[in-house]
RNA sequence: UGGGGAGUCGCCAAGUGGUAAGGCAUCGGUCUUUGGAGCCGACAUUCGAUGGUUCGAAUCCAUCCUCCCCAGCCA
């Protein structure tokens, strides 16, 4: 065996930088990354991209990745979110070992470093109001003006800052600012805020502080203190990089991390902003953060997605600096690809109609072997009970079939998967004239559903379930949450909420499933043959299973029918 | 009209001066006890535009165009 023809995936620009750094011996060859979520919401598929990147790069280059909570704003953060983030990152399959940190772990050090900046004349306490500061900042095209407090003495700054820490002032009375350049063309360099007063309880440090550091200050220092080598973040922080570097250059830090920006993930038919996701939850447009229609990791988990599928998806979309929109079909492909190989097959009838086999003995019943997974012969077979009265899918029968409809119709013969060939002989109608029962005869010579002795080959194979053996189930059919490819792009006066798909959830409560799944536990995934992938929802109760549809199977007939 | 980024197939995305990878989607065919899956094939004479340099340019230079981000005491 040689590895010559092993196709090598080209490196993305970040891995290229990391490899260059390793070659040149920068950072002593160490690679340390971090995933720094703010605990103010649930993680979504966009975060998965960042998680896979950060943990992936670390693993590939023999380094490590820290999980660090960016908890510098007590008014937005909660423990519930922190717990969910821990669960989700673990579920995705990543491990930070002992390296779980919080920006708040560094509050004392961050404070001391702030005094250091003041002592060196690199920071000052401003006492302008928020509104005045905005006015002094200038605009995109006009430079800002120095605050009248910019020239306070070091002693006065130190005194004021210490009194800020001592909680002597109300919110907004003072602000610690970096002394950089009010005329900078980069707005972030016009004396950015470093510390603000927030007389508020923090979910971890409780009442220890009433001043809290800003992201732009806390982030680079946290990175440096943790000896992070490559600090990967999204594009919108690109113009913060000079400030990131400024903080590091002006303080005696133990290391010099490098910030590198990449494009965040956008996906069609999806919304990925924490604010909007929070709104969907708060306004009850969905059933919570883990609603299977949500693009949150908790939602995908409940929907039946596997961590491997999400990781493969993240690998496949790549990492670059171009803003784009990934087709949600790419994600759907990833989950089908995974489940096709791993999900046990089962027969389930979602919209049942009775199929009576007139020439099958009334009292008879038998069991057929059906493959658990044709893609994996080693998985073996399962027993499926069969009897005279079955349920088949209502849409698998048509009294007046159009061309190319190969399923059951008067006079036609189809294969019942793993059972027999069956020929439709007629229908029974209810009082309203609706077909309430389909009748047929079976060919005993086709037992097992294999080929007939005379070589007949039906053009269709139907799934079925024995009426007397079937168990009842509720099936929730999920579809995309939004009807628009870009739900954020709406006309004046409308919001993304107006783009919600009114039929994103259809609940079918009279479904029939083969008995073998009766004791399946929540989270178990199956392929319902010919229909799609489904998983058992935690809402299930004994005797009343609830399934969520993860993804449909490709349906060629539906395409043909839709094309007309 | 300041600054920072980005423009390669419908969507992601390689390519870094030597004559446009791959994936998704789409469309054919084949195979099939899932109209599933698999397999085979098609799918950018062209890289935002225009000039220029060069034997040769998506790659270098110039000019122009388009899109994204920045004026939170959010991250």
């Amino acid at each position: 065996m040689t590895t010559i023809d092993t196709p090598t995936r080209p490196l993305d620009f970040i891995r290229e930088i990391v490899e260059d750094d390793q070659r040149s011996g920068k950072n002593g060859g160490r690679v340390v990354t971090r995933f720094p979520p703010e605990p103010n919401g649930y993680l979504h598929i966009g975060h998965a991209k960042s998680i896979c990147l950060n943990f992936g790069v670390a693993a590939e280059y023999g380094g490590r990745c820290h999980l660090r909570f960016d908890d510098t704003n007590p008014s937005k953060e909660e423990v519930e979110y922190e717990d969910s983030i821990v669960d989700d990152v673990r579920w995705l399959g990543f491990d930070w070992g002992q390296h779980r940190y919080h920006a708040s772990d560094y509050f004392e050090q961050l404070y001391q470093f702030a005094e250091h900046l003041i002592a060196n004349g690199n920071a000052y306490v401003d006492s302008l109001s928020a509104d005045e500061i905005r006015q002094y900042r200038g605009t995109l095209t006009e430079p800002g003006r120095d605050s009248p407090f910019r020239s306070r003495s070091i002693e006065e700054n130190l005194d004021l800052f210490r009194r800020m820490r001592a909680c002597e002032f109300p919110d907004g009375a003072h602000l610690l600012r970096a002394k950089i350049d009010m005329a900078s063309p980069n707005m972030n360099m016009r004396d950015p805020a470093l510390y603000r007063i927030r007389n508020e309880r923090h979910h971890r440090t409780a009442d220890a502080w009433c001043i809290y550091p800003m992201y732009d200050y806390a982030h680079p220092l946290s990175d440096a203190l943790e000896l992070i080598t490559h600090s990967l973040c999204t594009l919108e922080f690109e113009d913060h990089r000079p400030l990131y570097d400024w903080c590091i250059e002006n303080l005696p830090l133990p290391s010099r991390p490098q910030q590198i920006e990449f494009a965040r993930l956008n996906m069609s038919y999806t919304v990925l902003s924490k604010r909007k996701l929070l709104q969907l939850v708060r306004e009850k447009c969905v059933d919570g953060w883990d609603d299977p229609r949500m693009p949150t990791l908790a939602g995908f988990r409940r929907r039946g997605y596997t961590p491997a599928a999400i990781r493969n998806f993240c690998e496949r979309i790549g990492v670059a600096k171009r803003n784009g929109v990934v087709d949600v079909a790419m994600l759907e492909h990833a989950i089908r690809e995974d489940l096709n190989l791993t999900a046990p097959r089962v027969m389930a009838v979602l919209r049942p109609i009775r199929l009576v086999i007139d020439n099958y003995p009334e009292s008879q019943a038998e069991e057929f072997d059906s493959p658990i997974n044709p893609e994996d012969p080693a998985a073996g077979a399962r027993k499926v009970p069969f009897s005279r009265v079955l349920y088949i899918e209502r849409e698998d029968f048509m009294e007046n079939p159009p061309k190319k409809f190969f399923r059951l119709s008067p006079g036609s013969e189809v294969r019942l998967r793993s059972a027999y060939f069956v020929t439709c002989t007629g229908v029974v109608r209810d009082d309203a004239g609706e077909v309430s029962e389909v009748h047929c005869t079976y060919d005993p010579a086709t037992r097992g559903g294999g080929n007939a002795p005379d070589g007949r080959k039906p053009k269709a194979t139907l799934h079925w379930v024995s009426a007397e053996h079937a168990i009842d189930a509720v099936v929730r059919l999920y579809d995309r949450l939004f009807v628009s490819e870009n739900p954020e792009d709406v006309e004046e006066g409308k919001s993304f909420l107006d783009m919600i798909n009114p039929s994103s959830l259809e609940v079918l409560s009279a479904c029939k499933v083969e008995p073998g799944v009766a004791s399946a536990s929540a989270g178990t995934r199956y392929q319902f043959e010919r229909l799609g992938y489904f998983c058992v929802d935690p809402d299930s109760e004994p005797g009343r299973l609830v399934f969520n549809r993860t993804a449909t199977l490709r349906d060629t007939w539906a395409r043909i029918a839709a094309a007309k």
Side-chain angles (χ1 to χ4, degrees):
Chain A
M1 276 288 273
T2 64
T3 55
I4 295 172
D5 56 351
T6 303
T8 56
R9 188 169 53 101
L11 294 177
D12 57 67
F13 80 102
I14 289 178
R15 278 175 247 252
E16 239 161 52
I17 291 170
V18 172
E19 285 203 0
D20 283 349
D21 290 347
Q22 292 227 296
R23 263 194 292 276
S24 70
K26 188 176 173 187
N27 304 311
R30 286 178 310 111
V31 175
V32 186
T33 57
R34 101 269 93 113
F35 172 61
E38 181 188 12
N40 70 341
Y42 276 58
L43 260 25
H44 55 64
I45 188 75
H47 293 109
K49 175 179 180 179
S50 173
I51 293 167
C52 291
L53 210 213
N54 279 293
F55 281 92
V57 164
E60 288 156 36
Y61 297 98
R64 62 171 193 265
C65 180
H66 299 180
L67 172 63
R68 180 170 73 232
F69 292 96
D70 228 325
D71 55 351
T72 56
N73 185 350
S75 42
K76 291 168 64 178
E77 299 148 8
E78 297 173 21
V79 275
E80 177 205 343
Y81 294 132
E82 191 165 321
D83 295 342
S84 77
I85 289 168
V86 165
D87 289 347
D88 289 346
V89 179
R90 280 218 182 96
W91 176 76
L92 239 201
F94 297 101
D95 181 17
W96 49 88
Q98 299 304 302
H99 303 282
R100 172 176 170 179
Y101 305 111
H102 293 81
S104 57
D105 295 340
Y106 314 127
F107 279 178
E108 182 58 38
Q109 293 171 82
L110 263 32
Y111 174 85
Q112 295 302 333
F113 279 123
E115 284 207 355
H116 182 102
L117 285 177
I118 293 172
N120 287 338
N122 284 324
Y124 63 98
V125 173
D126 198 350
S127 305
L128 251 23
S129 69
D131 211 55
E132 291 168 318
I133 285 184
R134 193 174 316 123
Q135 278 158 20
Y136 274 82
R137 188 154 31 226
T139 68
L140 293 178
T141 50
E142 304 156 23
R145 291 136 49 213
D146 287 359
S147 161
F149 299 101
R150 199 176 199 260
S151 51
R152 283 215 254 236
S153 69
I154 288 174
E155 293 66 34
E156 190 184 356
N157 281 320
L158 230 32
D159 174 64
L160 247 16
F161 189 49
R162 287 175 180 159
R163 289 168 60 199
M164 280 168 66
R165 172 179 187 164
C167 303
E168 288 185 26
F169 308 110
D171 287 8
H174 302 288
L175 181 71
L176 185 72
R177 292 231 256 169
K179 191 185 279 189
I180 305 181
D181 177 11
M182 287 306 290
S184 171
N186 181 345
M187 299 296 282
N188 296 298
M189 299 299 269
R190 320 245 262 226
D191 290 9
L194 264 23
Y195 267 92
R196 76 285 216 187
I197 298 172
R198 277 265 212 285
N199 288 284
E200 220 166 318
R201 190 183 176 82
H202 184 278
H203 74 283
R204 297 199 82 244
T205 61
D207 299 317
W209 297 88
C210 53
I211 57 172
Y212 293 93
M214 300 290 291
Y215 165 88
D216 281 323
Y217 174 71
H219 205 84
L221 301 212
S222 302
D223 283 346
L225 291 170
E226 290 177 21
L227 308 182
I228 298 299
T229 55
H230 303 270
S231 182
L232 315 180
C233 64
T234 43
L235 255 27
E236 66 270 28
F237 292 104
E238 216 150 13
D239 1 292
H240 293 237
R241 193 167 66 229
L243 178 51
Y244 183 99
D245 292 338
W246 182 93
C247 289
I248 286 170
E249 279 156 20
N250 287 285
L251 258 4
L253 265 357
S255 78
R256 300 199 150 210
Q258 178 188 4
Q259 174 180 301
I260 306 169
E261 311 83 12
F262 64 94
R264 65 159 7 107
L265 170 68
N266 294 302
M267 204 161 64
S268 59
Y269 298 98
T270 310
V271 113
L272 289 181
S273 95
K274 282 197 193 173
R275 204 203 102 237
K276 292 196 171 78
L277 294 178
L278 180 62
Q279 201 178 340
L280 288 169
V281 172
R282 288 222 173 118
E283 297 183 19
K284 307 246 188 269
C285 304
V286 294
D287 219 13
W289 287 100
D290 69 342
D291 184 299
R293 291 165 294 185
M294 289 285 273
T296 51
L297 294 183
F300 283 121
R301 177 164 63 230
R302 191 162 183 184
R303 175 87 174 243
Y305 272 68
T306 60
I310 292 177
R311 278 188 253 115
N312 285 338
F313 166 76
C314 290
E315 191 173 304
R316 234 168 288 192
I317 56 175
V319 179
K321 297 196 71 154
R322 191 186 330 184
N323 264 319
V325 181
V326 172
D327 192 338
V328 69
M330 191 94 85
L331 216 209
E332 291 166 352
H333 169 78
I335 188 58
R336 286 192 186 103
E337 183 182 45
D338 183 354
L339 262 19
N340 175 47
L341 262 25
T342 57
R345 314 280 124 129
V346 126
M347 288 196 278
V349 176
L350 268 29
R351 298 175 177 89
I353 185 168
R354 279 160 63 90
L355 176 70
V356 181
I357 309 169
D358 294 316
N359 61 339
Y360 193 87
E362 197 114 15
S363 56
Q364 190 171 317
E366 56 190 313
E367 278 191 327
F368 289 108
D369 279 329
S370 196
I372 287 176
N373 187 345
E375 303 293 328
D376 176 18
R382 66 190 198 274
K383 299 281 186 197
V384 188
F386 182 90
S387 62
R388 185 169 184 268
V389 180
L390 311 174
Y391 287 114
I392 60 169
E393 212 66 64
R394 206 158 195 123
E395 64 174 32
D396 279 341
F397 172 80
M398 269 188 130
E399 210 172 356
N400 301 298
K403 256 214 156 346
K404 289 196 176 173
F405 180 86
F406 305 138
R407 280 112 93 142
L408 207 58
S409 58
S412 80
E413 181 174 57
V414 298
R415 184 201 320 269
L416 293 181
R417 164 124 251 224
S418 301
Y420 291 107
F421 290 7
V422 111
T423 301
C424 178
T425 54
V427 301
V428 169
R429 294 169 191 288
D430 60 19
D431 298 340
E434 288 291 307
V435 174
S436 59
E437 214 171 75
V438 178
H439 278 66
C440 66
T441 57
Y442 81 114
D443 177 359
T446 57
R447 188 166 196 286
N451 292 138
D454 63 2
R456 262 177 309 152
K457 279 193 154 189
K459 294 189 90 166
T461 297
L462 266 44
H463 60 276
W464 51 271
V465 107
S466 167
E468 73 173 281
H469 304 277
I471 59 171
D472 296 317
V474 174
V475 174
R476 307 205 273 226
L477 265 23
Y478 291 105
D479 197 357
R480 41 188 60 147
L481 223 206
F482 296 97
V483 292
S484 159
E485 200 168 321
N486 178 4
E488 329 224 356
D489 180 28
V490 292
E491 54 186 87
E492 269 297 304
K494 297 233 177 192
S495 88
F496 75 105
L497 295 176
D498 295 306
M499 305 310 296
I500 288 182
N501 177 4
S503 39
S504 61
L505 168 60
E506 182 180 1
V507 180
L508 268 21
S509 48
C511 308
K512 301 288 184 179
V513 187
E514 69 175 66
V517 307
S519 58
S521 55
T524 308
R525 295 180 262 257
Y526 293 103
Q527 183 197 97
F528 287 178
E529 291 204 65
R530 301 211 303 137
L531 298 175
Y533 299 98
F534 295 77
C535 76
V536 179
D537 190 83
D539 285 347
S540 297
E541 290 163 18
R544 182 183 174 277
L545 284 176
V546 178
F547 288 93
N548 294 331
R549 183 170 69 193
T550 308
T552 58
L553 239 33
R554 224 171 138 198
D555 184 345
T556 305
W557 166 244
R559 273 161 199 275
I560 294 171
K564 291 180 180 177

